Structure formats: structure tokens, C-alpha cells
Amino acid sequence: MSTLYHSLSEILEVLTESERNAKHAALHDVLTGLGNRTLLADRIEQSLRHMKRDGGAGALLMLDLDGFKQVNDAFGHNVGDQLIKEIARRLLWRLRDVDTVARIGGDEFAIWLSNVPHLSGIKTVCQAILEDVSEVCSLADQEIYVGVSIGAVQATGTDLVSDLLRKADIAMYDAKADGRGCFKIFTKGMDAEVQRRTIIEKKMRQALENKDCQALQVHFQPLMNRGQEIVGVEGLLRWTDPELGPISPAESIPIAEDCGLIGKLTALVVDQACITAVHFPDLQISINLSASQFHDENLALRLEKQVRGNGIRCSQIELEITESLLLEHSQICGRTLGQLRGAGFGIALDDFGTGYSSLSYLHEFQVDTVKLDRSFIQSAKYGKSIAILSATIALGHAINLRVVAEGIENLEQQNIALDAGCDVFQGNFFAPPMAPVELVDFILTSKKGQASAA
């Protein structure tokens, strides 16, 4: 009888342990051991009940790593997993035992701060996390850097868990839209911004599905050489909605990237640019590409097929990219750039001088053109600034780059750029972005003027 009793006790113990393991697995992330979304919601709910009874305040933080996808692309998922575990360790080290850290997605974390009565305390924690995460990670004999965008919302006993999750998420996306690597505290105005983003996304989908070229138009801004001759144009998207009015690219492009419409938007721009290219075979047409598109391994093949399908040589199209793409050092991005060059496309680096651009990157990735940001020219009014501008242009020429001065607004800026050695000029001083019909008139007028001068 005692043997039977002993066996039953062992069975019950095994079943109890199995049940505990199952409950733990249901509430925790396998990779990091952190709580998951279910555990997070339960902890928040418990805290809210205590706050409703006893007063006080807490805070919910939503975190999204900046640059994590590039790490996976460059070093593989095994290194990516190690990085996630290292970030989890840093978050746990920073926070108190009464706080809850959860992993709620691939590279997304959430933190519940208990008993944080003042906004200053929330800000202090957010700033510390930014610094902790941005420190170098030594993994697989590599020095890896990532950043983090944080959204935070203060909570009281009257809040609902679902509302807190939504508001912290809104604040986090606001931080990402503000340049990443920062934190934002939720405000009521952010709700209105989200509603506007939702409306813009819906209208953008409708315009693209209907191929509404009246709403989504490409305007072209001429590029002039040192002899005041037009040598190319840059295609710039202009969107005017009947209800919302003009919507700037600074607002529409990030939304298109976030909701997966950037590819369709680019295809529309390419088609309209090709129509202009057919009429002016001697002009180079510049088109902006989003850095996010370079993670698509089929980008080069698709663009080449589209351009050739419109009867255009790829060499007539120059693709403008931003410096962030070069700084990523992603294998996929580098391979895509090589494929685009192999197809015959020109490559231009836009807004040079606004961040961490290096001429060595331009040489490594075989960029053809560097476009100096307007601030570079506008600030070049004194001896040292002009010397830096001239030296930058001279170095560009030394590695066979064409140098374009953007944003020329007046004669003084034109003369500064001319004296410094720029090859090509772009800005409202010469001509604003214009519709295709206006471009035809501009080119014809320019040719008549040159003929008369001759």
C-alpha cells in the first residue's frame, strides 16, 4: 500500500511540475525568459487595481529597436537572437524588481514601471535606457550597434490596459517618426495625428488603386550646368487630395513606408518619369528611392524591367539614395546597389552634409553623383565655411564624382557654389518643380534663349 501511495505522490508531483512549466511557458518569452504580452497585461491590471484603491501612478513604455533588421541581414538570425538576449539583460539590469519587462514581438519590448508619480522619473528612465541600448554589443567577433525608439504613457487607476498599450504604441511611433533614437511621452494631440495618418493611408491606397494621376503627380525640377544649360531634372512627387489639400512628401513618404505602399508609389513615379524621358532622351531623370526599399532583393530586377518596358535606357535614370543606406553596411543593400549599377542606373547620394557622410563610402559604393544639401551652401558665407565647401567638392572631383548644389535660392548662393567648383545647380533661383507641360515650355524657352545668345 505504501508503495502505491509513493507512486501516486510521484505522479502528482510530476503532473504539478508539468502544469507549472506549462503556465510559465504560456506567460514568458522562450528566447529571453522575459514576460510576454499576456503577463504584461496581467501585471498592469493588478497595478491599476492597487492605484485605484490607494492612489499613485505608473507608466508603460513601448520600445522598438532601431537597426535590428539590418543586423539580421548582415550577420544572420543567430547573431540577431544573441542581440535580443543582450538587450533583455540590459533592460533587466536597469530596472527595479517591482517593474515588469516583457518581450512582445521580434524586436519590441515593453516595460511597466510601478509607482512612478512624476513625469521627470519616467523621462529619467527613458534616457537611461536610450544610453544603455546604444552602447556597443560585442557579438560573434563583431562590434554591433543598435538604437531604440521609446514611447511612454503615464497611468493612473482610472486607465484601461488596452488604452495604455495603444497610447504607448502611438508615442513610440511618434519617436520613430521624429528620427528614431529618442523617446516621446504620449499627449492628446498624438491621437489626432494617428487619425490623420489613418486617413492619409486610406486615401493613398485609393489613389494608387485608381491610378489617380490627377491627385498623385510627378513634378520636375531642372538641373542646370555651369553654362546655364538644362542637363537633367529631378522627379518629385506632389499629392493634392480634394479634401485634405496638399500633402507634403515629408508626411506621405513615411506613411507609405510603414504601410507597405512605398513600392507602388515608386512605381507610379517611375512610370511618369519614363514618359518625360521619352520626350527628352538627352536629359537625365533623377528619382528618389527610399532606403527601406533596398531590403527587397528584387528591387533592381523590378526597376530594370519597368524602365526598359517603357522603352527607356536605364542609363537615362539616376536613382537618389540617402546616406543612411550607406551607413547600414547591409549585405543586401550593397548587393542591390551593385545590381542597379550593373543594369546601367546612375546612383546619386542626396542631402550630403546633413549627417555622417564620408567620401570613402561614396567611393566604396561607386556613387556617381553627390548632391550637397542646401544648408551646406547657405552656411558657406565666411572664409572657413567656404574653404570646407571647396575642399569637399575638390575631394569629390578627385574620385570622379559629379557635384550638385541643391536649394540655390538667390544669386549670392549661385556664385558661392560656382566659385567653389560645383558642376550642376538646382533650386528655385533657376526654376521651381513644375508639371510636365510646364517643363516642356521651360525647355523650349531655354533653348530659344541659348540660340539667341549664340
Side-chain angles (χ1 to χ4, degrees):
M1 188 71 177
S2 60
T3 304
L4 177 62
Y5 178 78
H6 184 66
S7 298
L8 287 173
S9 297
E10 288 181 341
I11 291 171
L12 287 172
E13 185 177 339
V14 169
L15 289 174
T16 302
E17 180 66 19
S18 178
E19 184 179 358
R20 280 198 297 266
N21 290 338
K23 285 183 177 179
H24 184 276
L27 297 173
H28 292 80
D29 172 56
V30 175
L31 179 64
T32 62
L34 297 178
N36 59 19
R37 187 181 289 269
T38 302
L39 179 64
L40 174 71
D42 184 62
R43 294 279 177 84
I44 297 174
E45 188 66 55
Q46 291 179 42
S47 292
L48 291 176
R49 284 199 296 268
H50 287 304
M51 285 189 286
K52 189 173 184 178
R53 185 185 65 232
D54 304 326
L60 177 63
L61 279 54
M62 298 290 279
L63 296 76
D64 187 80
L65 298 183
D66 303 325
F68 178 73
K69 187 178 188 305
Q70 289 84 342
V71 172
N72 266 343
D73 289 344
F75 304 109
H77 291 283
N78 182 49
V79 172
D81 286 347
Q82 293 180 52
L83 176 61
I84 289 294
K85 289 194 284 188
E86 171 61 17
I87 297 301
R89 185 193 66 78
R90 294 182 185 187
L91 294 177
L92 285 170
W93 175 83
R94 169 60 58 183
L95 299 169
R96 307 164 298 176
D97 290 340
V98 294
D99 300 323
T100 299
V101 186
R103 182 184 179 214
I104 59 174
D107 61 343
E108 292 183 73
F109 297 84
I111 296 171
W112 173 249
L113 300 176
S114 297
N115 192 24
V116 185
H118 304 295
L119 280 176
S120 59
I122 301 172
K123 293 177 180 179
T124 298
V125 173
C126 288
Q127 186 58 47
I129 291 173
L130 288 175
E131 294 170 4
D132 289 344
V133 172
S134 64
E135 288 184 5
V136 62
C137 293
S138 297
L139 300 171
D141 298 323
Q142 300 285 342
E143 289 192 343
I144 296 172
Y145 294 87
V146 290
V148 64
S149 299
I150 306 173
V153 59
Q154 194 170 34
T156 66
T158 61
D159 289 302
L160 298 174
V161 175
S162 57
D163 277 347
L164 292 174
L165 290 167
R166 181 181 65 83
K167 290 175 180 178
D169 209 42
I170 288 171
M172 185 266 287
Y173 277 104
D174 196 62
K176 295 184 83 69
D178 202 36
R180 305 172 187 266
C182 63
F183 68 87
K184 289 295 182 73
I185 308 293
F186 178 82
T187 62
K188 291 181 179 179
M190 291 180 183
D191 256 338
E193 292 176 14
V194 170
Q195 291 173 11
R196 177 174 170 83
R197 284 175 62 90
T198 302
I199 293 171
I200 288 175
E201 178 185 339
K202 180 180 178 181
K203 287 181 172 290
M204 187 186 298
R205 288 186 186 279
Q206 292 173 342
L208 287 169
E209 287 172 5
N210 298 331
K211 297 183 179 180
D212 188 354
C213 293
Q214 292 297 110
L216 294 167
Q217 290 189 346
V218 177
H219 285 203
F220 298 91
Q221 186 168 36
L223 281 74
M224 316 296 288
N225 65 12
R226 296 176 69 88
Q228 300 288 315
E229 299 170 324
I230 181 169
V231 293
V233 293
E234 179 182 357
L236 299 164
L237 183 67
R238 293 294 181 263
W239 180 17
T240 300
D241 181 79
E243 297 174 358
L244 300 178
I247 302 171
S248 74
E251 186 176 25
S252 62
I253 298 302
I255 294 174
E257 290 177 330
D258 289 343
C259 66
L261 292 176
I262 191 65
K264 291 183 178 180
L265 208 57
T266 298
L268 181 144
V269 173
V270 170
D271 278 339
Q272 292 194 32
C274 286
I275 292 172
T276 298
V278 168
H279 289 92
F280 302 104
D282 296 330
L283 289 185
Q284 188 169 53
I285 313 292
S286 298
I287 298 169
N288 290 279
L289 288 183
S290 163
S292 64
Q293 293 178 268
F294 280 76
H295 297 292
D296 176 2
E297 295 183 351
N298 297 315
L299 175 66
L301 182 63
R302 188 165 54 253
L303 282 177
E304 181 182 5
K305 182 179 180 181
Q306 184 180 3
V307 169
R308 293 189 187 281
N310 278 285
I312 304 300
R313 295 172 287 106
C314 291
S315 59
Q316 196 180 347
I317 304 296
E318 185 170 66
L319 304 172
E320 296 191 11
I321 61 175
T322 58
E323 65 180 356
S324 62
L325 183 68
L326 303 189
L327 293 171
E328 286 178 3
H329 285 286
S330 164
Q331 293 177 353
I332 292 178
C333 294
R335 184 163 61 248
T336 300
L337 272 175
Q339 291 170 346
L340 289 168
R341 286 192 58 82
F345 291 105
I347 304 295
L349 184 73
D350 198 14
D351 298 332
F352 184 86
T354 57
Y356 303 99
S357 297
S358 166
L359 288 170
S360 64
Y361 288 151
L362 310 186
H363 183 62
E364 177 185 347
F365 286 96
Q366 298 183 325
V367 171
D368 302 290
T369 301
V370 57
K371 302 186 75 172
L372 301 177
D373 185 72
R374 66 183 63 221
S375 61
F376 214 124
I377 304 298
Q378 291 169 355
S379 64
K381 294 184 178 180
Y382 307 102
K384 185 180 290 186
S385 298
I386 292 175
I388 293 173
L389 176 63
S390 299
T392 301
I393 294 170
L395 286 170
H397 287 160
I399 55 176
N400 299 316
L401 296 177
R402 183 179 70 155
V403 182
V404 178
E406 289 186 293
I408 302 296
E409 302 293 337
N410 53 53
L411 182 61
E412 180 187 18
Q413 292 172 4
Q414 180 199 15
N415 290 336
I416 288 172
L418 271 169
D419 294 342
C422 279
D423 307 300
V424 179
F425 310 87
Q426 180 180 356
N428 290 339
F429 179 68
F430 303 100
M434 58 189 74
V437 174
E438 297 171 315
L439 178 65
V440 172
D441 291 339
F442 178 84
I443 292 175
L444 292 176
T445 302
S446 297
K447 288 182 177 180
K448 288 180 181 178
Q450 292 164 11
S452 299

